[in-house]
Amino acid sequence: MFEGDYSKKVWIITIVLAVCSIGLDIFFLTQDNAFMKETVWFSLPIAAFILYKGIEGLIKKIKEEKEE
């Protein structure tokens, strides 16, 4: 999935969704619900990885468009 030839829009949407997911995880950490606090430790690393790959893909796409 991460190595495809996607447009800049797809990478930007991926970044926005990952940031929103991280924001929700931080929100759940501040709440009193113990179950949601436990699930944050599974979803936070995944969201961080997706954010990293989204930024990496966007930078790669911008470099490709500058070369053309």
Side-chain angles (χ1 to χ4, degrees):
M1 175 186 156
F2 294 112
E3 302 302 324
D5 187 27
Y6 301 111
S7 68
K8 283 195 303 188
K9 290 180 184 178
V10 172
W11 292 116
I12 292 170
I13 291 170
T14 302
I15 292 167
V16 168
L17 290 175
V19 168
C20 290
S21 177
I22 291 171
L24 278 173
D25 288 339
I26 292 169
F27 172 75
F28 288 141
L29 279 174
T30 62
Q31 299 301 311
D32 293 331
N33 191 342
F35 177 73
M36 293 307 289
K37 282 185 180 180
E38 292 177 12
T39 60
V40 164
W41 303 116
F42 294 107
S43 62
L44 189 60
I46 294 169
F49 175 73
I50 292 172
L51 178 63
Y52 169 73
K53 285 302 212 178
I55 293 170
E56 185 179 59
L58 182 62
I59 291 170
K60 180 180 173 186
K61 189 65 174 179
I62 291 171
K63 285 181 182 179
E64 286 177 1
E65 289 182 355
K66 283 185 179 180
E67 291 176 355
E68 292 177 358

